[in-house]
Amino acid sequence: MSSKSVAVVGVTGAVGQEMLDVLETRDFPLSSIRPLASERSAGKTVRFRGEELPVEVLGEDSFSGIDLAFFSAGASISRDYAPVAVDS
């Protein structure tokens, strides 16, 4: 499997954190990861593969260059942004 650019939407929540843990534990082949969350999480960081990564605020342009997106931010956010991710 080739390396993928991955986005995790809702990364600061419990499910988002579990997604990061699974990606790390399973040594998922990714070339980059983009942690995404709401404006409330601006300035926070998440730990992945020994690095602290800044959380980016979810927006219309968040999926540029992303191959695969995981959503755990609730139904309304997923309903709004999943089509944006697909179109990107």
Side-chain angles (χ1 to χ4, degrees):
M1 178 187 283
S2 62
S3 293
K4 304 287 184 197
S5 296
V6 175
V8 179
V9 180
V11 72
T12 57
V15 174
Q17 288 292 297
E18 186 64 24
M19 286 181 181
L20 286 183
D21 289 344
V22 169
L23 290 170
E24 186 169 355
T25 301
R26 302 243 176 174
D27 199 24
F28 189 85
L30 52 86
S31 58
S32 66
I33 189 158
R34 185 172 299 162
L36 300 167
S38 69
E39 289 185 19
R40 288 188 319 245
S41 296
K44 291 185 179 181
T45 61
V46 292
R47 191 164 201 52
F48 184 74
R49 293 184 178 168
E51 292 183 48
E52 291 292 326
L53 304 174
V55 175
E56 298 179 27
V57 176
L58 177 63
E60 294 290 321
D61 60 345
S62 293
F63 303 100
S64 176
I66 296 296
D67 298 308
L68 181 62
F70 294 103
F71 284 79
S72 69
S76 64
I77 297 295
S78 297
R79 192 173 20 259
D80 291 344
Y81 284 97
V84 174
V86 170
D87 288 343
S88 184

